Amino acid sequence: MPIFVILAAVFGFLVFLILKPEFRVMALLIAAPVVALLTWYFWASEAETDLAYERIAPDEVTIDLTDLEVVGNRIILNGRAVNGSDTWRLREVTVLMRALDCPTEESTTADCLITGEATALIRPDIPAGQARSFRAAFLFDHIAAATGIPKFDWEITATRATQ
């Protein structure tokens, strides 16, 4: 919606310049600072977006109290996310889940064959030093059938934080 408003304003401004040539100099003097302010705003907001992904490292977030539900080719992860930051509010967590085919129940992740991967975005909105429950659905489009013991492993790959 904001893009539509900006485009409508620009179109109206151009029509005004065509229909009223005596106001062209004054209109351009008004438009120059507006364009400069808009340019600065979009440049500054992009920098803020980049910073939001760097404020909390993935290893500062803990996922525990987990429970997995298998529903066809979807895996639903229920659990609790803990924000380990002292300053920042955790807004988003990107989680990569792997489906594993393990030879035995005691096998480590390194001994297992990865048969599928899926990513989910969790938006728990956790203040600094607090925890919240979450539910995330992972869709495995092309998962190979397990010939051994099926297991699942996940890791946090990215976070987004604000004040």
Side-chain angles (χ1 to χ4, degrees):
M1 184 69 175
I3 298 292
F4 177 74
V5 172
I6 291 172
L7 290 176
V10 168
F11 180 73
F13 182 73
L14 291 175
V15 169
F16 177 76
L17 288 179
I18 291 169
L19 296 178
K20 300 286 186 180
E22 62 271 14
F23 292 111
R24 285 184 183 159
V25 172
M26 184 176 65
L28 291 175
L29 289 175
I30 292 170
V34 169
V35 169
L37 283 172
L38 284 173
T39 302
W40 173 82
Y41 172 77
F42 286 117
W43 175 80
S45 66
E46 176 134 356
E48 171 62 24
T49 301
D50 293 341
L51 285 174
Y53 289 98
E54 298 171 2
R55 290 185 175 132
I56 298 178
D59 60 354
E60 290 183 81
V61 178
T62 306
I63 293 179
D64 59 7
L65 305 177
T66 58
D67 177 48
L68 289 175
E69 297 175 41
V70 180
V71 183
N73 64 343
R74 286 186 335 157
I75 306 298
I76 299 174
L77 177 66
N78 296 299
R80 180 178 74 166
V82 181
N83 180 0
S85 172
D86 296 330
T87 310
W88 304 105
R89 183 179 201 97
L90 182 63
R91 298 293 183 163
E92 291 179 358
V93 179
T94 305
V95 179
L96 171 67
M97 181 175 283
R98 291 181 197 90
L100 305 169
D101 185 6
C102 300
T104 66
E105 191 70 40
E106 295 79 28
S107 298
T108 64
T109 304
D111 298 331
C112 301
L113 179 65
I114 298 173
T115 58
E117 291 183 328
T119 302
L121 184 65
I122 303 168
R123 292 192 171 110
D125 192 14
I126 309 172
Q130 295 186 19
R132 296 289 186 273
S133 295
F134 69 88
R135 180 177 175 91
F138 297 84
L139 179 62
F140 287 87
D141 288 333
H142 305 288
I143 188 169
T147 58
I149 308 295
K151 289 185 179 181
F152 295 94
D153 181 28
W154 62 83
E155 71 175 295
I156 298 170
T157 58
T159 63
R160 186 176 70 86
T162 61
Q163 284 187 333

